[in-house]
């Protein structure tokens, strides 16, 4: 996802990253992502882009704004099956 406008990106430079589907989140909540996160995009209830941010790190904690209902996470391709988004400020081990 392009963090500046929320539009999907596929090109020869984006080979190690992938993005999630829309993940439903509670407005005004705090979430933590357990694995490496390159960036994320936030969307409203109608899936209109609100904002995006490059964070590039492990165990990212994000404060969800009051007008946000969905998030899309850009993560490393080889961690796509074990990346977990959860409420709170602590990243726990992946649970299928």
């Amino acid at each position: 996802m392009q963090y500046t406008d929320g539009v999907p990106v596929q090109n020869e430079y984006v080979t190690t990253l992938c993005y999630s589907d829309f993940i439903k989140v509670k407005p005004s909540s705090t979430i933590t992502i357990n694995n490496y996160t390159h960036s994320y995009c936030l969307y409203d209830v109608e899936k209109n882009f609100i904002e995006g941010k490059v964070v590039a790190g492990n165990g990212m904690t994000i404060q969800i704004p009051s007008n946000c209902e969905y998030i899309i996470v850009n993560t490393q391709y080889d961690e796509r099956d074990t990346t977990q988004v959860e409420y709170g400020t602590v990243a726990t081990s992946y649970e299928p």
Side-chain angles (χ1 to χ4, degrees):
M1 288 307 231
Q2 184 67 22
Y3 72 93
T4 56
D5 58 12
V7 175
V9 174
Q10 287 294 17
N11 61 45
E12 67 273 17
Y13 303 108
V14 184
T15 58
T16 61
L17 298 174
C18 62
Y19 55 88
S20 69
D21 289 332
F22 285 95
I23 300 169
K24 181 82 168 127
V25 292
K26 296 176 192 172
S28 303
S29 63
T30 302
I31 62 168
T32 298
I33 304 166
N34 68 331
N35 284 341
Y36 176 85
T37 304
H38 173 267
S39 57
Y40 63 87
C41 295
L42 304 174
Y43 300 84
D44 68 14
V45 68
E46 296 180 6
K47 298 182 179 173
N48 296 309
F49 178 74
I50 298 171
E51 68 178 353
K53 187 173 183 181
V54 173
V55 288
N58 288 311
M60 292 288 112
T61 297
I62 302 165
Q63 182 63 45
I64 301 298
S66 62
N67 62 336
C68 179
E69 296 274 343
Y70 296 95
I71 187 170
I72 291 180
V73 176
N74 294 321
T75 188
Q76 288 183 329
Y77 187 79
D78 61 352
E79 293 183 347
R80 71 191 181 284
D81 293 331
T82 59
T83 297
Q84 180 168 276
V85 176
E86 55 196 311
Y87 291 105
T89 59
V90 178
T92 61
S93 298
Y94 173 73
E95 296 177 28

